[in-house]
Amino acid sequence: MARKWLEADADRTLPVVSPVDGSVIGGVHEYTHDEIDQVFATAQRARARWSARPLTERTDLLHRFADLLAENAAEVADVLMMEVAKACKDAKDEVVRSADYIRHTAEDAKRIIGETQFSDSYPGQARNKLAVVHRVPLGTVLAIPPFNYPVNLAVSKIAPALVTGNAVVLKPPSQGALSALMMCELAYQVGIPPEVLQVVTGRGSRIGDYLVQHPGVDLITFTGSSQTGADLARKAGMVPLLLELGGKDPAIVLGDADLDAAASDIVAGAFSYSGQRCTAVKRVLVIDSVADDLVAKIVERTARLTVGDPRSNAQITPLVDPESAAGAERMTKDAVAAGAVLVHGGGRDGNLVQPTVVDHVTEEMDLAWVEPFAPVLPVIRVRSAAEAIRLANRSEYGLQAAIFTNDIDIAIQIAARLDVGTVQVNGRTARGPDHFPFLGTKASGMGTQGVRPSIEAMTRVKSLVVNLREKDLTTSV
Ligand code: NAP
Ligand code: G3P
């Protein structure tokens, strides 16, 4: 595989430094505005031919892309692991999951059908018009994924866009650009035209505004922080948006819950990939009567987590940047200074934050509301399910929530009152499986992802109305 961006003489306008060991693992070009204009002009020229190809040609190409990605999973995962400090097994799993995503999208796209309508189903209308309603591609899709899933969250945008006949301009995260470039290289190798899958590298803070305001954009699918997403939405203008943003997912634990199962799910949900997941469990709202037992079980499991180098498959690995690590440490110290109790962790060595559990957090503390994107878990004690619902909904975020209880009636009643995209009952908050709808309310996003919703979001309805004229059938026509 050509890996020019990893070679010593690579264009290093933007060196990629590994958070694992501080080494320079590659370099990418920072696109200029003129170059970005060229990219969109190329996409505009190429997409008509791409969308005119039979759907089964596009799906075959996607299947070949998925197969080659799976074959090269180890190589792509090695770069991904070093780029974003993701444990080697998780990095490999991400690439394999991405191949599965592509395959499922290709197959689902074949089952998108339209509908027909006759006019006389509407009052006062004769049966003289037939609407043939179908879906067409939007044009050029600007895809902007975040660092924490640089392959999977790129693929979750690229696959539905390409299979429906759009052209894609991908702006990968700066920390994750190498993995994204390797992935796209594989797409080109199987025959996906480079003109319909172009990668624009460069810091989002420097080229992002020019990209999102470009007249060549027909849809923006963005995954990242709520702050960046909201800023982007204000600047994008009249362009459809698909935004998957931040979260502060609560795990609500009721008095009748299976505390061992809840503790295991909470620890896995809070600390996998060092808490750098939008759907991580980012606060526990536990009924007072079982709080001591639950916290003890959470601490027992947290203490068993391995901490260190992703190359040795440690469960807690360095955060992607020192600012996140310092922010998490500061929020923890502030909460303890305000009366919370540090029951595990709290330490930091550079980007490496110890898995941290903070008990007796109150709603006066930032840790109750701010998304640290780090392995820090606040525990808030509540007196009732009603109080848990109030605190859950008070958050600016509405991505997911988890409810742990043995009473399905109560679980359904609570779920109905939570202003979130997804409620997990007796399970940790998570996006997968990837064909499930994935969405956030409030500051957590706009629109719905997942295989089928993403395919629909990257297309629009087109209606062909045939005006029918009554003909005399008795004559020889
Ligand atoms: P981020 O800083 O918002 O960056 C996300 C993407 O946007 C990156 O590719 C980034 O490029 C780009 N970007 C930055 N500034 C931009 C601008 N002005 N215009 C256009 N693009 C811009 O988020 P992150 O640090 O990568 O990811 C962490 C955040 O994303 C967390 O809040 C997390 O909750 C959220 N997230 C949400 C989901 C979800 O599905 N809901 C999934 C993953 C992460 P650069 O890398 O070059 O800055
Ligand atoms: O933060 C990435 C988001 O998509 C979470 O994915 O599968 O880890 O819940 P997952």
Side-chain angles (χ1 to χ4, degrees):
M1 180 192 305
R3 300 196 295 183
K4 54 187 178 306
W5 45 85
L6 296 179
E7 283 150 17
D9 62 347
D11 175 342
R12 292 224 188 280
T13 40
L14 254 186
V16 178
V17 177
S18 171
V20 178
D21 59 7
S23 63
V24 177
I25 54 176
V28 295
H29 177 61
E30 178 136 277
Y31 273 63
T32 65
H33 289 183
D34 287 347
E35 289 166 333
I36 289 171
D37 291 343
Q38 288 303 315
V39 163
F40 281 105
T42 299
Q44 172 94 24
R45 285 193 301 274
R47 70 189 194 211
R49 193 172 334 117
W50 175 244
S51 62
R53 292 175 73 162
L55 173 59
T56 48
E57 271 189 31
R58 296 199 295 269
T59 55
D60 287 350
L61 284 169
L62 283 185
H63 275 293
R64 276 189 255 151
F65 175 29
D67 293 347
L68 192 58
L69 186 61
E71 284 165 30
N72 289 273
E75 194 172 17
V76 177
D78 281 348
V79 174
L80 193 160
M81 171 182 70
M82 293 304 287
E83 265 200 298
V84 298
K86 186 170 278 192
C88 53
K89 180 183 179 308
D90 291 346
K92 181 101 179 283
D93 288 351
E94 176 179 339
V95 181
V96 172
R97 174 181 181 181
S98 302
D100 291 341
Y101 194 104
I102 296 167
R103 294 188 185 105
H104 201 95
T105 298
E107 288 312 299
D108 219 21
K110 293 178 193 170
R111 284 152 192 81
I112 299 286
I113 57 175
E115 61 178 14
T116 57
Q117 282 181 329
F118 273 103
S119 44
D120 62 342
S121 57
Y122 195 80
Q125 294 295 321
R127 193 177 180 80
N128 59 359
K129 291 177 184 293
L130 173 63
V132 180
V133 183
H134 55 296
R135 301 193 75 87
V136 297
L138 291 171
T140 299
V141 169
L142 172 60
I144 307 178
F147 79 83
N148 64 341
Y149 280 86
V151 171
N152 183 260
L153 284 172
V155 153
S156 69
K157 303 169 185 306
I158 291 169
L162 288 177
V163 78
T164 48
N166 295 282
V168 175
V169 174
L170 172 68
K171 193 330 259 180
S174 293
Q175 217 61 39
L178 302 177
S179 319
L181 284 163
M182 289 183 82
M183 172 190 63
C184 291
E185 182 88 16
L186 296 172
Y188 307 148
Q189 282 184 34
V190 302
I192 291 175
E195 300 79 14
V196 298
L197 176 56
Q198 298 177 83
V199 185
V200 171
T201 47
R203 289 216 183 286
S205 56
R206 289 165 58 94
I207 63 170
D209 288 357
Y210 194 73
L211 280 168
V212 302
Q213 296 175 83
H214 199 282
V217 173
D218 296 300
L219 172 128
I220 301 173
T221 167
F222 171 86
T223 301
S225 66
S226 294
Q227 184 186 349
T228 307
D231 185 48
L232 176 155
R234 280 189 290 274
K235 292 172 179 169
M238 282 287 284
V239 172
L241 298 175
L242 199 50
L243 303 177
E244 297 291 348
L245 306 176
K248 187 74 176 179
D249 294 1
I252 297 170
V253 182
L254 301 187
D256 70 333
D258 174 339
L259 297 183
D260 284 304
S264 296
D265 273 323
I266 287 167
V267 169
F271 297 115
S272 59
Y273 189 37
S274 308
Q276 296 175 111
R277 293 169 47 244
C278 59
T279 49
V281 171
K282 295 182 185 141
R283 48 187 173 146
V284 175
L285 307 176
V286 56
I287 293 287
D288 249 333
S289 61
V290 298
D292 289 345
D293 285 351
L294 178 71
V295 169
K297 293 175 186 293
I298 288 174
V299 169
E300 179 200 338
R301 287 158 175 79
T302 304
R304 293 203 295 263
L305 294 171
T306 54
V307 179
D309 196 317
R311 291 167 290 195
S312 54
N313 210 34
Q315 290 165 295
I316 303 295
T317 56
L319 299 189
V320 76
D321 58 44
E323 294 76 22
S324 302
E329 183 183 46
R330 186 174 53 253
M331 253 190 281
T332 301
K333 286 181 173 171
D334 289 351
V336 172
V341 178
L342 178 63
V343 291
H344 186 79
R348 172 170 82 95
D349 175 11
N351 289 18
L352 190 59
V353 175
Q354 295 294 323
T356 297
V357 182
V358 186
D359 194 1
H360 295 287
V361 171
T362 67
E363 51 188 301
E364 289 70 37
M365 302 170 188
D366 281 351
L367 193 53
W369 308 112
V370 176
E371 178 189 45
F373 227 53
V376 177
L377 180 66
V379 177
I380 301 167
R381 295 167 179 234
V382 295
R383 291 176 297 277
S384 68
E387 187 182 359
I389 293 167
R390 178 184 68 79
L391 288 173
N393 287 335
R394 191 184 147 196
S395 170
E396 67 177 298
Y397 297 107
L399 194 58
Q400 298 201 6
I403 303 168
F404 293 92
T405 176
N406 282 318
D407 186 328
I408 190 61
D409 294 319
I410 287 187
I412 292 171
Q413 270 182 257
I414 294 172
R417 289 161 177 76
L418 293 176
D419 185 5
V420 294
T422 302
V423 178
Q424 305 276 355
V425 177
N426 290 326
R428 68 185 178 94
T429 45
R431 166 170 53 119
D434 289 341
H435 65 312
F436 280 10
F438 182 62
L439 69 152
T441 65
K442 302 191 286 187
S444 290
M446 186 188 293
T448 304
Q449 282 192 126
V451 172
R452 172 62 64 96
S454 291
I455 289 172
E456 288 171 353
M458 311 252 177
T459 57
R460 66 172 174 83
V461 165
K462 188 161 189 179
S463 179
L464 176 73
V465 176
V466 180
N467 288 274
L468 308 169
R469 289 181 176 68
E470 197 69 25
K471 295 290 172 64
D472 177 358
L473 302 181
T474 61
T475 60
S476 57
V477 289

